[in-house]
Amino acid sequence: MKIYTFSQWVLFFYIYCFLGWLWESAYVSVKQKHLVNRGFLKGPLLPIYGSGALCVLAVTIPFRDSVPLMCLSGMAAATVLEYVTGAVMERLFHVRYWDYSDKFMNLNGHICLASTLCWGVMTVLVVDVIQVYVERLVLSFDEGMVEAAVILVTPFVTADVVTSFRAAIRLRDVLVQWEQVSEEMRKLTERKQELELAIAQRKSEMEGVLTERKQEVENVFTERKQELENALKGAGEKANETLTVGVQEVSNRIAALGELPGKIAALQELTETLAAVQERTARLAGENELLRRISVKSIRGLLKRNPKAVSFMNKEAFDDVKESVSKKNDAKSNTGKE
């Protein structure tokens, strides 16, 4: 194997990133039945393929005379690279941009037996076939031209990496905020329902108490009136005694009604709390809608390039975001806009 310069290695990386993008985009486009610009970046590059190719080229150097050992070493190195990259990206972005969870013999959804075998096949193809032509192409240019090409392409790749990274971080922040808002709205909805039930119960209790007290007072007045009328027909002293007893009993009944202001105050407090909860719920609903608009506007391209992306850390929020983005895409398609 020839000794390559740093610029040549970088150019190899870009070339394999592009070839990986061609393969992946073609494969996904056929499955999706429409053109898909596949990958984490906006441009036609898939860094995982470029990294995998360079990794394979490096680790297979001692085994170039043995195809089985070359295949096994490349397979192992590329598989480890894929697992570490997938795990780090999911940890950082809360999104899994490729997922093998439904594949046979997968490990945490980041790698699987089929992908590992594919890396083995790709190792042989890259080392014995593809690299022959790529190397011939790169070495056909003098070092100055290779450096110029790298210097010309690198700023665009760097800008793409930065913007895509920021979009992924923004998506992560939206998912976290979305989930927080959804959880708070759920709790507020439960609290609102509890308050409404408590108010209804208090109202029913107060209506019952008022009706009961009113009826009791009316009955006492009626009874005492009748007793007084009968007593007045008798002796004056007895009438005064009856009147005193009647007035005292009526006073006791009226005093019982004194409990009502406290209950009315409690009801008023519950009503004010409910109003505050309703106001908070309305504000959170507005925040939720704002998150929807932000996610559709700034993250739509990232999700469109990764139609099979999933999130297990923020599953419900991610599904909601994808649904919003899908609706936005459909609306733009129907109006002939993109």
Side-chain angles (χ1 to χ4, degrees):
M1 178 179 175
K2 294 182 176 62
I3 302 300
Y4 304 121
T5 65
F6 176 77
S7 296
Q8 289 171 337
W9 276 111
V10 175
L11 192 55
F12 286 151
F13 174 75
Y14 290 156
I15 290 173
Y16 282 110
C17 285
F18 176 69
L19 293 176
W21 174 83
L22 283 178
W23 157 252
E24 190 83 8
S25 295
Y27 176 75
V28 175
S29 295
V30 170
K31 292 193 68 175
Q32 297 287 323
K33 298 181 180 179
H34 62 84
L35 291 177
V36 177
N37 176 20
R38 181 73 175 90
F40 183 76
L41 304 180
K42 294 180 181 179
L45 298 172
L46 270 176
I48 186 64
Y49 282 90
S51 302
L54 265 60
C55 180
V56 162
L57 289 173
V59 301
T60 57
I61 292 175
F63 311 109
R64 294 297 172 84
D65 295 331
S66 173
V67 173
L69 289 178
M70 181 177 67
C71 179
L72 289 174
S73 61
M75 182 190 307
T79 299
V80 170
L81 174 67
E82 185 175 30
Y83 184 89
V84 171
T85 303
V88 170
M89 289 182 69
E90 182 176 22
R91 182 70 175 177
L92 182 61
F93 302 129
H94 291 197
V95 174
R96 188 175 294 180
Y97 287 94
W98 64 85
D99 180 42
Y100 301 129
S101 296
D102 60 341
K103 303 299 183 182
F104 177 66
M105 291 186 66
N106 73 85
L107 180 59
N108 298 327
H110 299 304
I111 56 175
C112 68
L113 178 61
S115 70
T116 298
L117 294 176
C118 284
W119 280 119
V121 174
M122 291 297 294
T123 296
V124 177
L125 288 176
V126 167
V127 174
D128 287 345
V129 180
I130 300 176
Q131 179 61 13
V132 174
Y133 296 98
V134 172
E135 179 185 73
R136 185 180 303 167
L137 172 65
V138 172
L139 295 182
S140 67
F141 302 102
D142 60 50
E143 181 62 17
M145 294 184 66
V146 172
E147 290 180 354
V150 170
I151 292 173
L152 179 65
V153 173
T154 297
F156 293 98
V157 176
T158 302
D160 196 351
V161 170
V162 171
T163 55
S164 298
F165 182 88
R166 291 178 61 186
I169 291 294
R170 190 177 297 115
L171 172 59
R172 181 200 65 186
D173 293 342
V174 166
L175 294 178
V176 172
Q177 293 175 42
W178 197 313
E179 216 165 68
Q180 290 174 346
V181 168
S182 298
E183 178 63 18
E184 190 169 356
M185 288 190 67
R186 183 189 64 78
K187 291 180 179 179
L188 286 173
T189 300
E190 292 178 355
R191 177 60 176 158
K192 178 182 175 182
Q193 293 173 346
E194 292 174 358
L195 288 172
E196 289 175 341
L197 179 60
I199 288 175
Q201 292 175 342
R202 288 293 180 89
K203 182 178 179 181
S204 177
E205 291 173 2
M206 289 182 64
E207 289 176 348
V209 169
L210 286 172
T211 301
E212 181 181 348
R213 294 291 187 263
K214 179 180 178 182
Q215 187 61 46
E216 289 179 356
V217 170
E218 288 178 350
N219 292 339
V220 169
F221 271 114
T222 301
E223 291 175 1
R224 294 309 176 212
K225 180 181 177 182
Q226 185 61 45
E227 290 176 1
L228 287 172
E229 289 176 350
N230 295 335
L232 287 173
K233 293 177 182 179
E237 183 178 348
K238 186 177 180 181
N240 289 333
E241 181 182 349
T242 304
L243 178 60
T244 301
V245 173
V247 170
Q248 183 62 43
E249 188 169 352
V250 171
S251 298
N252 293 338
R253 297 295 184 180
I254 293 175
L257 293 176
E259 302 172 1
L260 293 179
K263 293 185 177 181
I264 292 174
L267 178 60
Q268 181 65 27
E269 182 181 353
L270 285 175
T271 304
E272 292 174 356
T273 303
L274 176 60
V277 169
Q278 290 175 330
E279 180 182 356
R280 177 65 172 157
T281 302
R283 188 171 70 81
L284 286 175
E287 292 178 0
N288 202 0
E289 181 60 29
L290 176 61
L291 287 176
R292 289 177 183 271
R293 291 198 299 270
I294 291 174
S295 68
V296 170
K297 181 179 179 181
S298 61
I299 303 166
R300 175 172 165 258
L302 182 62
L303 293 179
K304 187 177 180 181
R305 295 193 299 274
N306 297 275
K308 295 299 183 180
V310 296
S311 175
F312 296 99
M313 300 177 70
N314 306 100
K315 187 178 185 307
E316 293 184 4
F318 186 76
D319 290 343
D320 287 342
V321 171
K322 285 192 71 174
E323 182 180 357
S324 296
V325 170
S326 178
K327 290 180 180 179
K328 187 71 173 180
N329 290 337
D330 292 342
K332 285 185 174 293
S333 298
N334 293 334
T335 56
K337 298 178 181 179
E338 182 55 39

